Amino acid sequence: MDSFAAFQQALRTAPPHALARIAIAELREGYGADLVELRIVDYGVKSLQLVDGYAAKTEPVSVHDSPQGRAFGSQEPFVTQQPGGGVVVHLPITVRGDRLGTLSVGLPASTDANGMLPALRQLCEMLGHEILVAERDTDLFVLARRASRLTLAAEMQWQLLPGRSCVREEFEVGAHLEPAYSIHGDSFDWEASERFLTLSVTNGMGEGMEAALLTGLAANALRNARRAGLDLAGQATLADQAVYAQYQGSAYVSVLLLRIELTTGRVEAVDAGSPKVWRVRGRAVEELSFDHQLPLGMFEDTVYAEEHFTVRPGDRLLIGSDGVYSTPGRGGETYGERAMKRSLPGHRLLPAGQVPVAVLRELAAYRDEAPLHDDALVMCVDWHGRPGTPV
């Protein structure tokens, strides 16, 4: 059995809690690695945290200023020299566009590092898939993600999320929210079928556990309606009924629902609250306006209607919660829609998965790093369309 097949077999048969240690041991034995570090990006996308294993270092490293961060940010291998000779190859671990972390492999001077890069990248892809499977049965990787303790509300909210990004032929989508370790009521979701990409951004009223419970109910009601085959208006209606049945109008959820037909770029939208959408088309940035419908759960038997627009290949959609555009700066003026529109062209060359973090980093600078008074959520969608789709 060759080294790659042995690595694959070892990962597939490893107990979930021992996956990292076995991967590290296999890299040492089968590939002659003299140093191996597996790191997972933290919830705030600020540091890469070491996963427990046979490693020489234990400190987190910065996403923005480290060799591992270079590989994570560029999604390309980054090679550094070892003090005693040889090299360390830092590689991204990514699954379907969702950036999980990095793998650093130290190789002796006698090894052809460039020649090993294709095999190492394939190993990282395999390791990423096995990490996602192992997470069902162990807290090892969830614990590695936290640079500090999460509040209970934040723990509940992160468990709702589908990931940070997703890439397919037709689209790229990414999202992030802050404050990562104490979020309350903001959440997002997406699902891609053969025919549609369905997106939602939700914001439950209130703070702390009350907001988290409310948003959790709405998010699961939307998923239940989607999986039952209801159209977008039907999904909003069923979720509205679920929230009203529980809270009788004393609490409600703002939501924006979008469903994009993958073959045509035709978009259905239900705007039931505060999230806003900006479209970047070429050099033009415009806010998309919809009829404001009632938030979910405010009144009994609310009827929702879909609106429509079309995205073209090359379009970028950016969705922001009210915690983004309502955040005050140093002088008291809110970040606002004008600041958002000014910032978007500067991120045009970033992939969709990196844009939300970049926007929220700008928002942090705008408020001079003062604590957020509300959750801030950003989602970005880059539309490519299917081959042959008219531009």
Side-chain angles (χ1 to χ4, degrees), residues 40-49 60 141-152 154-155 158 178-183:
I40 298 293
V41 68
D42 87 302
Y43 286 108
V45 196
K46 295 178 180 177
S47 63
L48 288 155
Q49 311 281 122
F141 302 100
V142 174
L143 290 172
R145 284 190 175 90
R146 51 196 73 195
S148 61
R149 184 173 178 178
L150 272 69
T151 64
L152 178 55
E155 186 91 49
W158 280 107
E178 292 284 353
Y181 290 85
S182 57
I183 49 176

Side-chain angles (χ1 to χ4, degrees), residues 91-162:
L91 302 111
I93 297 177
T94 303
V95 180
R96 294 191 175 94
D98 194 10
R99 300 180 300 158
L100 304 182
T102 59
L103 180 70
S104 299
V105 182
L107 299 171
S110 59
T111 305
D112 178 11
N114 289 329
M116 288 189 64
L117 283 180
L120 289 174
R121 297 190 74 159
Q122 194 172 5
L123 293 179
C124 284
E125 182 179 354
M126 184 195 313
L127 180 57
H129 282 278
E130 292 300 329
I131 286 172
L132 292 185
V133 173
E135 281 189 327
R136 299 180 308 177
D137 302 310
T138 180
D139 284 342
L140 176 66
F141 302 100
V142 174
L143 290 172
R145 284 190 175 90
R146 51 196 73 195
S148 61
R149 184 173 178 178
L150 272 69
T151 64
L152 178 55
E155 186 91 49
M156 295 169 62
Q157 293 298 80
W158 280 107
Q159 293 302 312
L160 279 176
L161 304 182

Side-chain angles (χ1 to χ4, degrees), residues 13-239:
T13 58
H17 68 275
L19 180 66
R21 292 199 300 272
I22 288 175
I24 291 169
E26 287 294 321
L27 283 164
R28 289 181 179 274
E29 181 178 346
Y31 290 83
D34 53 24
L35 177 145
V36 184
E37 290 183 353
L38 172 61
R39 293 182 181 270
I40 298 293
V41 68
D42 87 302
Y43 286 108
V45 196
K46 295 178 180 177
S47 63
L48 288 155
Q49 311 281 122
L50 190 75
V51 180
D52 182 35
Y54 305 124
K57 299 179 181 179
T58 58
E59 311 86 20
V61 298
S62 171
V63 165
H64 310 296
D65 185 22
S66 68
Q68 296 91 334
R70 286 277 297 270
F72 182 81
S74 68
Q75 290 294 285
E76 293 291 338
F78 183 71
V79 180
T80 57
Q81 297 294 319
Q82 295 201 68
V87 298
V88 180
V89 183
H90 307 280
L91 302 111
I93 297 177
T94 303
V95 180
R96 294 191 175 94
D98 194 10
R99 300 180 300 158
L100 304 182
T102 59
L103 180 70
S104 299
V105 182
L107 299 171
S110 59
T111 305
D112 178 11
N114 289 329
M116 288 189 64
L117 283 180
L120 289 174
R121 297 190 74 159
Q122 194 172 5
L123 293 179
C124 284
E125 182 179 354
M126 184 195 313
L127 180 57
H129 282 278
E130 292 300 329
I131 286 172
L132 292 185
V133 173
E135 281 189 327
R136 299 180 308 177
D137 302 310
T138 180
D139 284 342
L140 176 66
F141 302 100
V142 174
L143 290 172
R145 284 190 175 90
R146 51 196 73 195
S148 61
R149 184 173 178 178
L150 272 69
T151 64
L152 178 55
E155 186 91 49
M156 295 169 62
Q157 293 298 80
W158 280 107
Q159 293 302 312
L160 279 176
L161 304 182
R164 285 196 184 89
S165 57
C166 179
V167 175
R168 272 185 42 173
E169 179 185 42
E170 302 91 346
F171 64 83
E172 298 178 34
V173 57
H176 188 57
L177 45 78
E178 292 284 353
Y181 290 85
S182 57
I183 49 176
H184 302 139
D186 281 13
S187 187
F188 60 84
D189 197 15
W190 58 66
E191 187 272 339
S193 66
E194 183 179 2
R195 185 178 177 190
F196 294 110
L197 168 65
T198 305
L199 308 161
S200 67
V201 171
T202 53
N203 180 7
M205 67 174 288
E207 298 181 355
M209 281 294 300
E210 290 81 4
L213 288 167
L214 176 59
T215 299
L217 172 61
N220 282 295
L222 287 169
R223 287 172 175 171
N224 179 257
R226 184 184 72 222
R227 292 163 183 168
L230 300 184
D231 60 17
L232 210 63
Q235 294 172 32
T237 298
L238 187 146

Side-chain angles (χ1 to χ4, degrees), residues 199-202 254-258 269-272 275-277 290 319:
L199 308 161
S200 67
V201 171
T202 53
S254 297
V255 64
L256 175 72
L257 298 174
L258 300 176
V270 173
D271 182 357
K276 296 188 177 184
V277 186
F290 305 106
I319 305 167

Side-chain angles (χ1 to χ4, degrees), residues 129 340 359:
H129 282 278
M340 176 68 80
V359 171

